Amino acid sequence: MLAASTRRRKAPVVDSPPMSPSQPAPRRNAEATRARILAAAREAFAELGYAEVGLREIAARAGTSAPLVLRYFGSKAALFEAALASALRVEAVTALPRASFGEALAAQLLSAAPDADPVAMVALASGNAEASAIAARLVRERMLAPLAAWLGPPAAERRAARILMLGMGFRLFTRQFPLHGEGPPPADQVAWFATTIQALVEGRAE
């Protein structure tokens, strides 16, 4: 028995495979889960509004649980802030050609997918004071300030604010709450919007 035991102890040991290739997996999974939660939150907040959607619904859309959503983001307000921050992309606006900015912005606002719409997220946050304050701050920081810097003088911030107000209103009342009814908005309304925006970009209107 001792000899057998000794033989077993002396049997060759197979080295375990290195752990490093598998180590990034948990991080990748965590990043994928976080991205899934953010996508579900953007969609839900844009569709239902901050006050009407709960963490359980967002978790269900993301295929996870409400406690896990809280683990990642801490609170519903923090999740809203992260979701809106990820949806506000000023570079998509400032990348438009300056010479035809008005027409390009009109086309962009009319063609953008209605889900995960940051304009709807901002508008539908107005029923909650905390969410409304978050939305106002993020729009100032992530849209107004960089757009004003892109525009340049004169009165860059005032022009940027008017472009944002007109753009958000155009998006809301052509896609979210279409005043014109079914179908695309009238061509003269689109032309008016594009002309007005272009004048602001070129500094011909303040």
Side-chain angles (χ1 to χ4, degrees):
M1 292 296 294
L2 180 60
S5 176
T6 303
R7 283 197 299 272
R8 283 197 297 271
R9 285 199 301 271
K10 291 183 177 179
V13 177
V14 178
D15 290 336
S16 300
M19 294 298 292
S20 55
S22 63
Q23 284 173 351
R27 177 173 292 182
R28 286 198 300 269
N29 292 341
E31 290 171 354
T33 300
R34 188 177 191 279
R36 211 165 57 244
I37 293 170
L38 282 175
R42 288 191 297 266
E43 181 183 273
F45 288 134
E47 178 186 334
L48 302 172
Y50 182 86
E52 298 300 321
V53 67
L55 291 179
R56 287 185 180 179
E57 174 155 357
I58 292 170
R61 292 184 184 219
T64 185
S65 65
L68 189 61
V69 173
L70 283 174
R71 177 182 168 188
Y72 274 87
F73 294 96
S75 68
K76 179 180 169 182
L79 174 58
F80 175 74
E81 179 166 354
L84 182 56
S86 67
L88 290 172
R89 297 178 55 250
V90 73
E91 63 273 13
V93 176
T94 54
L96 298 175
R98 189 179 285 261
S100 56
F101 184 90
E103 292 180 357
L105 182 62
Q108 184 184 87
L109 291 171
L110 288 172
S111 64
D115 57 330
D117 185 349
V119 174
M121 291 175 70
V122 170
L124 296 177
S126 60
N128 179 275
E130 185 177 17
S132 183
I134 290 170
R137 174 171 52 79
L138 287 179
V139 169
R140 285 194 302 269
E141 294 173 355
R142 294 178 172 264
M143 298 298 294
L144 179 62
L147 181 57
W150 179 80
L151 288 171
E157 187 168 321
R158 182 165 59 192
R159 286 157 55 217
R162 292 184 180 184
I163 288 172
L164 288 177
M165 287 188 288
L166 286 170
M168 293 180 73
F170 183 77
R171 172 69 178 181
L172 280 175
F173 292 113
T174 57
R175 296 299 298 271
Q176 196 77 16
F177 313 111
L179 297 179
H180 58 275
E182 298 293 328
D188 62 326
Q189 290 183 7
V190 178
W192 171 85
F193 172 79
T195 300
T196 305
I197 293 293
Q198 191 65 38
L200 286 165
V201 168
E202 295 174 359
R204 294 183 285 108
E206 296 179 17

